[in-house]
Amino acid sequence: MSIETEEKKAFWLPIVSALAIPFVIGVLHIRISRLFSVLVVSLMFLTPLIVFVRALSHYYGKSSTAQRPILRNFTLWPPFIIIPDGLERIRIPWVTLGLILFNCLIHVGANSTVYEVGMFLPMTQQPSCIHIALSLITCGFLHADISHIVDNMIFLWAFGTAVESRIGPWRFLHVYFFALISSSVLSELLLILKQLLLGEAFNLMDFHSLGASGAIAGITAVFAVRCYFSNVKIYIPFLFLPRPTVPVRLPSLLILGIFFAGDTLGSMQMLRNETQIDYWGHLGGYLAGFAAAYMMNLYRDSFMEAYQRKARYLAEKAKENKSAKEAYTEIFKRDEENLEALQKLFELNRFNEEKRGYYFSRLVTKLAREEFLEAARLVEEHFPKFLDFLPGDLLLKLGLYFSNTEQFDKAWVCLDRSCDKEGPWQPKALFNLAEVYRKMGRDELAKKVLERLAASFLWDPITEYARCRDSVARGGGRA
């Protein structure tokens, strides 16, 4: 699959799989709950077979005994918990962890008055417009009971950590509160629509909702767009027992699509009957999250990560895999600063010195900007190969580094190569090369380098400095 095809897939697949099809299923009243129950029961019957197959694969592939891999298939996770699988956390998700902690503290410390004032809509007599507006946010930190907050916080931890580490803390907060507010607003708008359609007379202020479900639904929608390529683990009870459970991997878009279809179906039922669950809030948060994800163009980041995972898989299959080279080359064309692409292209072009040197130069240059010691370590590892591919200013920095660490045999080579490359760094490279020669006891070479400096850069400040210092040194010798 080309990178252009992957980009189109990243744009359309979440819309079709996690939004359009589930919405149609919910609107047409297809019994999604029954379909989900059939799927879960089928997996529960299949768990012994799953464990057996995994044990055999470990036995013939990696492990000398079958008992150990069999035990590895069992966990003590609660049944039906859903967790994203195989996604790296790019940064620590402090905002997600802070939201979880804050929600838990509010749940422990809040009394009945806090609930009456903070839920949407407030239960106080004639609340002001400001009070109602604030309740759009405060309701997201109040939960009905322990199971309500535990379920919500598990989902927030599972999907929020993956989303925040990819879009950053500030955008995560924006999406979270945008989805939270949108969920309550849509609930109220649909309540008005229900009143108009059915002609029922009731006070809109009698509608109340609470919980972070709308905000979390928005985060799962962002996950569907940003991590459309991922799988999730769903923990299935073994032989209908609550413990142990067996993790089963399924496509994330399938599971999120099922949840959205269920919320859509529940929303349709809310138009006719009263329910204990605010499905409209779930629907509003999910749609807001989807809209925010596409407004932020997150699908562009997602297809790059998906294509990079594919390239990584191809590279691991065979070190000289032509498809892996092509995949990483496509990534490099889109993002010339992609560190993994540079590293892999340097490794995969081991029989092409010209290309290998080119990618080595780009890799060391990038590392030098971000982590110079890592760049120096890479140069040491391959020294003195590929030095001719490095730019003169970088060779000067490497020469100074090796000189300061008293690796003079490497320092003079880097500085000498830097001197041969035209640029504003040449006078400094010549001067420091002479210094290195002096430290090595090669005074004649140091003298020749200084003569070259004086002849080529007569009026350069470094030449003046070298000349003055040499004059002072000679004067001191005569005294």
Side-chain angles (χ1 to χ4, degrees):
M1 181 185 294
S2 68
I3 197 167
E4 290 79 12
T5 304
E6 190 68 47
E7 184 174 12
K8 293 178 182 177
K9 178 181 175 182
F11 183 88
W12 289 108
L13 188 61
I15 295 176
V16 174
S17 301
L19 190 65
I21 293 177
F23 186 79
V24 171
I25 290 174
V27 169
L28 295 179
H29 291 207
I30 298 175
R31 300 300 298 178
I32 192 66
S33 57
R34 187 176 300 171
L35 292 176
F36 186 72
S37 300
V38 170
L39 174 63
V40 170
V41 171
S42 300
L43 289 173
M44 291 171 70
F45 275 114
L46 289 172
T47 47
L49 179 61
I50 293 170
V51 171
F52 180 70
V53 171
R54 286 179 181 172
L56 285 180
S57 66
H58 279 274
Y59 179 77
Y60 290 107
K62 299 178 181 178
S63 180
S64 58
T65 61
Q67 291 80 8
R68 190 177 177 188
I70 285 177
L71 294 177
R72 283 179 179 174
N73 285 284
F74 295 107
T75 73
L76 296 178
W77 279 92
F80 307 118
I81 292 294
I82 298 173
I83 297 176
D85 180 52
L87 289 175
E88 299 177 0
R89 290 202 180 105
I90 303 169
R91 58 176 67 89
I92 299 175
W94 293 113
V95 170
T96 303
L97 298 177
L99 285 170
I100 292 172
L101 178 61
F102 189 67
N103 272 280
C104 292
L105 291 176
I106 292 294
H107 185 74
V108 171
N111 55 28
S112 59
T113 304
V114 173
Y115 276 82
E116 291 175 1
V117 173
M119 69 171 57
F120 180 81
L121 294 156
M123 297 182 70
T124 57
Q125 292 292 329
Q126 297 181 344
S128 65
C129 294
I130 295 177
H131 188 180
I132 293 173
L134 288 175
S135 71
L136 290 170
I137 297 175
T138 57
C139 70
F141 297 95
L142 302 173
H143 292 83
D145 51 40
I146 188 66
S147 63
H148 188 198
I149 189 170
V150 167
D151 289 344
N152 276 349
M153 294 306 103
I154 288 176
F155 265 83
L156 179 56
W157 169 76
F159 292 97
T161 52
V163 171
E164 183 190 343
S165 67
R166 281 162 174 77
I167 71 174
W170 291 112
R171 290 203 295 180
F172 180 86
L173 272 176
H174 291 158
V175 172
Y176 188 88
F177 286 107
F178 176 58
L180 176 59
I181 294 171
S182 299
S183 65
S184 297
V185 170
L186 184 66
S187 293
E188 194 69 13
L189 289 176
L190 289 177
L191 190 63
I192 295 172
L193 178 63
K194 177 180 178 179
Q195 189 176 20
L196 293 174
L197 291 177
L198 301 181
E200 296 180 3
F202 56 88
N203 188 357
L204 294 177
M205 296 300 297
D206 290 338
F207 174 82
H208 306 289
S209 68
L210 48 77
S213 301
I216 296 168
I219 296 302
T220 60
V222 173
F223 181 90
V225 177
R226 181 57 183 83
C227 303
Y228 71 94
F229 51 83
S230 66
N231 294 323
V232 295
K233 282 182 181 177
I234 179 169
Y235 290 85
I236 304 298
F238 183 73
L239 294 177
F240 298 91
L241 300 173
R243 298 288 193 286
T245 54
V246 177
V248 177
R249 289 179 179 83
L250 294 171
S252 59
L253 291 182
L254 171 65
I255 299 301
L256 295 179
I258 288 174
F259 276 109
F260 181 59
D263 286 334
T264 305
L265 178 60
S267 298
M268 299 301 295
Q269 293 172 347
M270 281 185 70
L271 289 172
R272 300 186 301 272
N273 306 303
E274 296 292 332
T275 63
Q276 294 297 316
I277 299 175
D278 183 12
Y279 290 108
W280 291 344
H282 296 183
L283 198 69
Y286 193 81
L287 293 175
F290 243 96
Y294 279 92
M295 284 191 292
M296 292 187 291
N297 294 322
L298 294 183
Y299 68 92
R300 292 179 179 172
D301 296 325
S302 65
F303 91 84
M304 284 296 290
E305 184 176 355
Y307 203 74
Q308 193 162 306
R309 285 162 64 99
K310 175 188 173 183
R312 193 180 303 145
Y313 169 75
L314 293 172
E316 290 172 355
K317 279 182 59 179
K319 292 294 182 183
E320 296 302 321
N321 193 295
K322 181 181 177 182
S323 298
K325 285 185 189 179
E326 293 174 350
Y328 276 116
T329 301
E330 288 293 326
I331 294 171
F332 177 72
K333 288 178 181 178
R334 292 290 187 109
D335 180 11
E336 294 188 354
E337 294 295 306
N338 189 290
L339 183 61
E340 182 178 334
L342 289 170
Q343 290 172 331
K344 291 298 183 180
L345 287 169
F346 174 63
E347 295 172 7
L348 293 169
N349 285 285
R350 64 184 61 192
F351 298 118
N352 188 326
E353 289 297 303
E354 190 70 24
K355 285 187 176 181
R356 192 166 163 80
Y358 170 74
Y359 290 118
F360 179 83
S361 173
R362 297 298 299 265
L363 177 58
V364 173
T365 301
K366 177 176 174 59
L367 288 174
R369 288 197 302 267
E370 299 175 358
E371 186 57 57
F372 185 81
L373 292 179
E374 189 65 23
R377 184 201 62 76
L378 185 62
V379 171
E380 283 187 82
E381 183 180 338
H382 297 278
F383 193 88
K385 290 182 69 176
F386 311 119
L387 288 182
D388 288 334
F389 292 91
L390 298 179
D393 56 341
L394 182 54
L395 285 167
L396 171 60
K397 292 178 182 177
L398 289 166
L400 293 174
Y401 167 78
F402 289 130
S403 176
N404 292 333
T405 56
E406 299 185 350
Q407 300 181 66
F408 300 122
D409 55 332
K410 294 183 176 68
W412 80 263
V413 175
C414 291
L415 292 169
D416 185 59
R417 303 287 176 88
S418 178
C419 293
D420 292 336
K421 294 178 180 285
E422 293 186 5
W425 55 81
Q426 281 181 291
K428 190 174 182 180
L430 285 165
F431 176 78
N432 282 282
L433 178 59
E435 291 295 299
V436 169
Y437 279 146
R438 281 179 176 172
K439 292 176 182 178
M440 296 174 69
R442 303 167 73 176
D443 294 334
E444 287 299 319
L445 285 175
K447 182 179 178 181
K448 289 181 179 180
V449 171
L450 290 175
E451 289 174 354
R452 178 184 171 188
L453 173 63
S456 302
F457 305 96
L458 180 61
W459 303 110
D460 192 272
I462 292 180
T463 305
E464 291 292 330
Y465 172 75
R467 188 183 296 116
C468 291
R469 199 182 69 165
D470 190 51
S471 298
V472 171
R474 288 179 183 179
R478 285 194 296 271

